[in-house]
Amino acid sequence: MSEQELSREQIARRQELEKKIFQLLSNRPGLRLQELVEILDAEEFLVRVKGGLQFKFKEYSNSLLEKEVKTGVKSILPTDVINVDKVIIPSRGGEILTGSGEELEEKKIIPRTRYLMEVLSDLGIEYSVETGKLDKNMFRSRGYQIFVIPEKKKLIFVNNEEGHATRIVHGFRDFDQNDKFGVIEKDIIDYLSDLNVDELDLDESIIVEKINYPGNEEEYKQKMKEAVLFVLTKKNTEMFDPKEKKKGKCGNMKN
């Protein structure tokens, strides 16, 4: 979409998007440009220049604007992106590299974070994101991101690397505690992000939905939409037997 084709409103909207992305970076000095770009799935707009990396804010904002014009859906960017000085969802014992790791096959990247952002934009739901660091001794080339969705009282753990299921924390099994989960206090996020995937799946105090990538974008986005809209009630909380969960049979919850 060329400058001449844009209306005054569209130019203003593009500038609004540019400003929002710039604010995400400037508000969080510890956040690396590369981390934000990975969340946005915008690597094509990141270029190497003398002295480092440069992000093409205008071109990326223009691509979002084109999508908005085509779909009629306004892109909702994170209200904040917070970088935490730790690994989110640490590896299990058997997932630590003991050698150089040079012969490991590179895994495919699936832009799950972008798909989730598009789902949340379609639903008109605001969210923030927490991103952590990578341990060089881990098998992963990408880290987990936590999408914090206060309106729906949910935390979503997402990794864009192939082979990592998305996990949605719907709330506490003890339903009476979920008033606390409504504001998603920092200590809850810290506790859950320190668990490995097995510990997260088997923690009997919470209800976790695990979504594997089904092989195509639309099916994944539909599953994520259903998960985001799932409403936890005392009745459906009681449907999930902790004993069944411990055996790994909880499965995907349906709306």
Side-chain angles (χ1 to χ4, degrees):
M1 189 178 287
S2 68
E3 201 75 23
Q4 292 74 24
E5 295 175 299
L6 296 176
S7 67
R8 186 177 300 174
E9 291 78 12
Q10 288 170 336
I11 291 173
R13 173 59 179 158
R14 187 186 65 195
Q15 291 171 342
E16 181 186 348
L17 290 166
E18 285 181 55
K19 183 179 178 182
K20 176 63 179 175
I21 300 163
F22 182 77
Q23 284 175 338
L24 286 173
L25 281 169
S26 59
N27 289 347
R28 295 291 176 183
L31 178 66
R32 293 188 304 114
L33 178 59
Q34 182 69 39
E35 291 167 334
L36 180 60
V37 167
E38 286 178 6
I39 294 168
L40 299 175
D41 184 37
E43 281 91 343
E44 64 184 286
F45 301 98
L46 190 65
V47 294
R48 191 168 294 280
V49 295
K50 189 176 180 180
L53 295 171
Q54 184 180 76
F55 186 65
K56 296 182 176 180
F57 287 91
K58 185 175 180 179
E59 288 82 352
Y60 175 67
S61 300
N62 208 39
S63 73
L64 290 181
L65 182 61
E66 286 182 7
K67 190 184 296 182
E68 290 185 356
V69 171
K70 184 178 179 180
T71 64
V73 176
K74 225 174 183 182
S75 298
I76 297 179
L77 295 170
T79 56
D80 199 0
V81 178
I82 302 167
N83 179 265
V84 293
D85 188 28
K86 67 175 185 177
V87 175
I88 294 172
I89 307 290
S91 294
R92 294 168 290 198
E95 295 177 332
I96 302 295
L97 293 175
T98 54
S100 66
E102 291 178 1
E103 296 180 7
L104 288 176
E105 184 180 345
E106 189 174 345
K107 291 186 178 180
K108 181 180 172 185
I109 298 301
I110 302 166
R112 296 180 182 90
T113 49
R114 173 168 62 83
Y115 295 160
L116 178 53
M117 288 169 63
E118 289 172 356
V119 166
L120 294 171
S121 295
D122 190 44
L123 295 172
I125 295 173
E126 291 193 338
Y127 58 95
S128 62
V129 179
E130 280 202 12
T131 182
K133 64 181 184 179
L134 267 181
D135 187 327
K136 63 181 180 181
N137 294 319
M138 297 170 74
F139 279 113
R140 300 176 204 156
S141 65
R142 297 287 178 101
Y144 275 89
Q145 325 289 344
I146 308 174
F147 279 64
V148 183
I149 310 175
E151 180 185 332
K152 295 297 180 181
K153 304 181 182 180
K154 297 181 193 295
L155 297 174
I156 303 182
F157 292 81
V158 192
N159 189 308
N160 285 342
E161 190 175 65
E162 180 184 19
H164 296 281
T166 301
R167 286 169 171 83
I168 301 96
V169 180
H170 289 288
F172 290 113
R173 187 170 295 281
D174 179 355
F175 187 74
D176 293 334
Q177 292 189 62
N178 282 304
D179 284 341
K180 181 181 179 185
F181 202 78
V183 294
I184 315 187
E185 295 181 3
K186 188 74 173 74
D187 60 336
I188 296 172
I189 299 174
D190 288 343
Y191 165 71
L192 294 175
S193 63
D194 283 339
L195 303 178
N196 66 40
V197 288
D198 289 340
E199 292 167 337
L200 187 63
D201 288 343
L202 298 177
D203 191 309
E204 295 183 6
S205 67
I206 55 174
I207 291 180
V208 179
E209 179 176 3
K210 177 180 172 182
I211 295 181
N212 291 307
Y213 187 68
N216 70 81
E217 173 184 344
E218 290 309 314
E219 192 175 342
Y220 177 76
K221 286 164 79 170
Q222 181 59 34
K223 285 177 179 288
M224 292 306 299
K225 183 176 182 180
E226 290 173 3
V228 170
L229 293 176
F230 176 82
V231 178
L232 194 63
T233 66
K234 192 162 190 175
K235 185 176 180 180
N236 62 31
T237 300
E238 292 167 352
M239 288 168 52
F240 300 96
D241 184 351
K243 293 178 183 176
E244 289 299 304
K245 185 175 183 185
K246 200 163 188 177
K247 294 175 186 174
K249 296 180 181 177
C250 194
N252 286 354
M253 292 183 280
K254 300 294 182 183
N255 207 351

